[in-house]
Amino acid sequence: MRTVYAISGGVSKFTKARPDKTFQAIVKEAYDYAIRDIGLEFRQFTELVDGSVVSYFSDHFTRQLMAGIMATDYLGLCPKPNHRVEGGGATGGICFQEAWKAVASGYMDVCVAYGFETMSHVETWKGNEFIALASDVSFDYPVGGFYSGYYAMMVTRHMKEFGTTVEQMAHVSVKNHINAYHNPYAQKRNRYTIQDVRNAPMVAWPLTRLDICVMSDGAAATILCSEEGLARLEAAGAQIPRPLVKVGGIGRGTDAMRMADRPHQSYDDFLRYNLLPHEDTAETRAYYKELWDKGFRYPGVHSFRAGRMGSKEAYKNAGITDPLKEIDFVELHDAYTSSEIQTYEDMGLCRYGEGGPFAVSGKAFMPGIDYGLDLPEEPVCPVNPSGGLIACGHPVGATGLMQAVFAIWQLQGTVGKHFDDDTLQVKNARRGAIHSHAGTGTYVTVSILERGE
Amino acid sequence: MSDQIPNKREETLGGYILHNVPFPRELNAETLALLKEMTPIQIEQPYSITYLHSYAQDSPFFAGLANKVFLGNRDPETGYTYATPRGHDMHTGNETGWVRLPDEGTVHAFTVCYFGSEEFLPETPFVLALIGFEGADTLFLARLVGVDPNQPSLDWIGMKVKARYLRNSKFKPTDVYFVPA
């Protein structure tokens, strides 16, 4: 595989509704920003780019099939190669990885990935119905299809299994909302307290409205290229910041759509297939053995095996052996505060069962921000410095690409320029992970982005 | 001949009618540029469809519910048993056979939905639960009835529950629901 550079990105302002523009024109906002940021003109870039990948989740939201090609022709990218990808909530993450594949494989030297969702065209509860159709329509949906309910079931098991608390989950909400206070692209920029989160209307016990991300209209775009593509762009006058940002490795995992079908693996199978290299110590093996002796089974409905396998593959490809020490920040798929906690464990930032204490430890918070919380430890690896899905919003087809854009800016050290506020700039960030997740843990992508020397 | 072919569309009632829609009286560079400041026009686009959905190889499960029998699938080679029907085993690829599962099980996980998808909003609050069964390796998603939805408790996990069946089957998985045993 060839080295792939992530050189630029753009994000539309995520917001509840954008009736002022069609989805194509919203995509163009993000696309134009990415082009302008490397100092190229629209027509120049059209000449230089080899092709594109486009993503959106649901045809239902726009009542428009083949919306992907409509965005592509609006951007003037016809007749160059393009395809649409879809994989539930991980749609944007998959799109980023498909663009990576196009460049890494040698198929393209310059590839642009863009994605969008316009969820405001239906009422919130109808939108929830559309999303719930991403569950088995024979056995899951008719019982009371509701994604917040599905994730709430998973976390009640997590709470029972590990003693995770609603206050620990609320810490995630407070962190991500307050981070987003400094992110002008975020939909919700509010300072909340633990009490605010718990006093918000209960949606699906124990998840309140502030434990859950919001629907959104938005788009994001990223430009990827090879060494040859870089030379081509720069020969045409592109100004690409040094050090370069490259994709260090990607990983992807899957699991059964029906939560009921998730296996309950043995301890030996967990060690054989799912253990991360840094967990392979006598102490951690003993820790897990004790869990199994108490009745823990993996992944059950409390853990996302797809997230673990996506992380494991990405870490292997990027040469990461101890993620918490070797990754400077993570943008992960916090559609629910509970899923951020579950994902800490899947990604190996802590062990399975330790996500709750990790959430309140302070390790995942940004330094220099007053969260109004008593955090016992210093930040180690900020998680969702952008505010994540909880605060930025979740226009599904754009979300995973939004994470890529924010990660590129972190690694370029240009957050201050793009946000007009450098509070969220992770100092001297050298390596970041982006994590995109489809319900209910079916597809998970993990991509590692790194700053060159 | 051409006189007989309609060259005008018949206007019908319905939809949106707004008379004297604001618009520049004269079109020139200035007034055309002003159109950029126009607020968006939004209209309703209804969409409704009825699907003919086949339960296909899973149909005996629903016939079982209509007869107050809870069926699962079992791999004939390994004995791996699915509490939610599955025509082929995911580990061996074997076609599974039908087995009767017990009417009693245990709550593995649950939630109370105080909001829901549009279709289920009128039924809120309702309890969703994943139920485990002795002799089955996977779970079954069902409604849990007979517990107070306004007093949810983690203690519900592990609770023994028993199946109840609708008197008149609707051929949906909700033909069976569970109550505390």
Side-chain angles (χ1 to χ4, degrees):
Chain A
M1 292 291 184
R2 304 192 300 174
T3 299
V4 178
Y5 298 103
I7 57 167
S8 185
V11 182
S12 74
K13 161 76 177 168
F14 286 5
T15 186
K16 181 171 174 56
R18 286 290 304 271
D20 61 311
K21 287 193 177 176
T22 60
F23 65 85
Q24 302 100 309
I26 299 172
V27 172
K28 193 166 186 300
E29 287 181 358
Y31 179 82
D32 284 347
Y33 191 98
I35 295 172
R36 273 200 310 274
D37 199 42
I38 52 172
L40 290 179
E41 297 292 329
F42 180 87
R43 279 179 286 195
Q44 275 182 299
F45 186 74
T46 307
E47 283 291 318
L48 295 164
V49 69
D50 292 314
S52 57
V53 187
V54 58
S55 64
Y56 67 100
F57 160 55
S58 174
D59 298 308
H60 293 54
F61 277 109
T62 38
R63 203 178 73 95
Q64 174 67 66
L65 303 188
M66 294 191 71
I69 190 61
M70 293 174 69
T72 301
D73 82 45
Y74 197 83
L75 299 179
L77 289 169
C78 297
K80 298 186 183 195
N82 170 268
H83 69 285
R84 176 239 178 149
V85 298
E86 184 278 316
T91 293
I94 293 171
C95 184
F96 179 80
Q97 295 193 344
E98 292 307 301
W100 174 86
K101 286 181 190 174
V103 177
S105 65
Y107 177 52
M108 294 184 193
D109 284 315
V110 181
C111 182
V112 56
Y114 41 90
F116 64 90
E117 211 76 42
T118 47
M119 307 175 83
S120 64
H121 299 195
V122 296
E123 299 271 10
T124 296
W125 306 116
K126 178 57 80 177
N128 272 281
E129 195 174 297
F130 288 165
I131 292 167
L133 288 170
S135 61
D136 189 321
V137 296
S138 291
F139 293 101
D140 289 342
Y141 176 79
V143 184
F146 184 37
Y147 254 63
S148 296
Y150 298 161
Y151 280 84
M153 274 192 289
M154 291 190 270
V155 80
T156 59
R157 188 69 201 184
H158 200 277
M159 293 163 80
K160 186 75 175 179
E161 202 82 54
F162 306 124
T164 311
T165 68
V166 292
E167 288 74 21
Q168 290 169 339
M169 289 186 261
H171 274 68
V172 173
S173 180
V174 169
K175 168 176 70 71
N176 293 356
H177 279 106
I178 291 180
N179 285 351
Y181 192 74
H182 303 278
N183 178 354
Y185 292 95
Q187 183 165 333
K188 292 174 70 191
R189 303 172 69 192
N190 301 310
R191 296 185 67 89
Y192 292 118
T193 64
I194 302 292
Q195 289 68 35
D196 291 333
V197 178
R198 291 318 300 163
N199 292 339
M202 188 63 72
V203 175
W205 193 85
L207 300 175
T208 72
R209 193 166 281 179
L210 293 180
D211 283 305
I212 302 173
C213 69
V214 287
M215 294 194 198
S216 193
D217 283 1
T222 59
I223 301 171
L224 305 184
C225 68
S226 64
E227 288 281 0
E228 290 81 356
L230 190 69
R232 189 199 300 169
L233 291 165
E234 290 189 324
Q239 293 155 7
I240 299 166
R242 296 295 194 278
L244 292 164
V245 176
K246 69 172 185 176
V247 182
I250 69 161
R252 201 182 291 185
T254 58
D255 216 328
M257 168 58 93
R258 300 189 306 213
M259 283 188 292
D261 286 347
R262 303 281 166 84
H264 292 185
Q265 286 177 197
S266 67
Y267 172 68
D268 289 338
D269 277 352
F270 174 76
L271 293 188
R272 187 174 304 125
Y273 301 116
N274 311 114
L275 197 71
L276 291 173
H278 74 284
E279 294 182 317
D280 198 4
T281 64
E283 197 259 327
T284 294
R285 280 176 175 244
Y287 168 84
Y288 282 131
K289 185 70 172 62
E290 195 179 335
L291 284 185
W292 255 269
D293 289 344
K294 288 181 188 166
F296 174 84
R297 297 292 180 268
Y298 185 81
V301 298
H302 45 69
S303 301
F304 302 121
R305 186 173 53 162
R308 171 51 66 99
M309 298 311 283
S311 304
K312 193 175 175 188
E313 189 176 273
Y315 295 162
K316 184 181 173 194
N317 289 333
I320 294 171
T321 54
D322 193 345
L324 187 62
K325 290 183 182 157
E326 297 171 38
I327 296 173
D328 298 313
F329 67 92
V330 177
E331 288 285 345
L332 66 78
H333 194 99
D334 58 325
Y336 303 91
T337 54
S338 50
S339 41
E340 176 161 324
I341 286 177
Q342 290 163 295
T343 300
Y344 294 152
E345 300 172 355
D346 299 325
M347 295 188 77
L349 303 181
C350 59
R351 297 184 291 204
Y352 281 110
E354 295 179 338
F358 184 84
V360 299
S361 68
K363 289 179 181 170
F365 287 70
M366 280 293 291
I369 292 181
D370 178 12
Y371 294 95
L373 297 168
D374 184 18
L375 301 168
E377 296 187 59
E378 293 297 312
V380 174
C381 176
V383 174
N384 286 322
S386 69
L389 284 60
I390 290 269
C392 290
H394 183 18
V396 186
T399 305
L401 290 163
M402 167 199 78
Q403 296 171 327
V405 176
F406 291 154
I408 292 168
W409 293 346
Q410 285 285 6
L411 294 163
Q412 288 177 339
T414 56
V415 167
K417 169 185 148 190
H418 297 289
F419 288 5
D420 200 24
D421 178 346
D422 68 357
T423 308
L424 298 177
Q425 176 69 56
V426 176
K427 301 290 180 279
N428 197 31
R430 305 180 71 81
R431 186 186 256 160
I434 55 174
H435 162 282
S436 192
H437 163 120
T440 46
T442 46
Y443 293 116
V444 178
T445 65
V446 177
S447 304
I448 307 297
L449 279 74
E450 300 170 348
R451 191 181 74 187
E453 294 308 318
Chain B
M1 185 71 177
S2 63
D3 290 345
Q4 296 170 1
I5 299 174
N7 63 358
K8 186 177 181 187
R9 287 197 64 198
E10 195 172 333
E11 305 237 5
T12 55
L13 293 178
Y16 301 83
I17 299 172
L18 176 63
H19 298 284
N20 296 320
V21 178
F23 202 73
R25 290 190 187 282
E26 286 184 31
L27 291 180
N28 53 44
E30 188 182 355
T31 58
L32 286 169
L34 275 175
L35 289 176
K36 285 281 181 187
E37 294 177 20
M38 186 170 164
T39 52
I41 297 170
Q42 294 178 275
I43 65 163
E44 287 186 0
Q45 288 187 330
Y47 183 56
S48 165
I49 194 162
T50 299
Y51 288 88
L52 184 62
H53 180 70
S54 175
Y55 286 128
Q57 76 273 9
D58 300 330
S59 297
F61 173 80
F62 295 93
L65 296 187
N67 288 281
K68 301 181 172 41
V69 173
F70 191 66
L71 291 175
N73 283 131
R74 180 168 291 162
D75 183 310
E77 182 187 338
T78 64
Y80 195 87
T81 302
Y82 294 91
T84 306
R86 190 178 179 95
H88 289 81
D89 180 81
M90 66 166 78
H91 311 288
T92 65
N94 291 330
E95 187 171 348
T96 56
W98 290 103
V99 290
R100 183 170 190 167
L101 292 178
D103 270 352
E104 288 204 352
T106 307
V107 174
H108 184 83
F110 79 94
T111 184
V112 183
C113 295
Y114 300 95
F115 293 90
S117 298
E118 188 175 274
E119 181 177 342
F120 305 106
L121 265 184
E123 299 171 29
T124 57
F126 57 83
V127 182
L128 292 178
L130 285 159
I131 311 293
F133 302 91
E134 189 73 34
D137 296 285
T138 71
L139 309 169
F140 182 76
L141 177 64
R143 292 282 184 99
L144 178 62
V145 178
V147 290
D148 184 352
N150 295 313
Q151 299 291 328
S153 164
L154 277 185
D155 292 339
W156 292 359
I157 294 177
M159 180 170 60
K160 299 284 183 200
V161 291
K162 62 183 179 187
R164 280 214 175 137
Y165 299 87
L166 293 188
R167 190 162 48 84
N168 295 311
S169 169
K170 297 182 188 301
F171 297 104
K172 289 187 174 182
T174 42
D175 284 356
V176 62
Y177 59 96
F178 289 82
V179 297

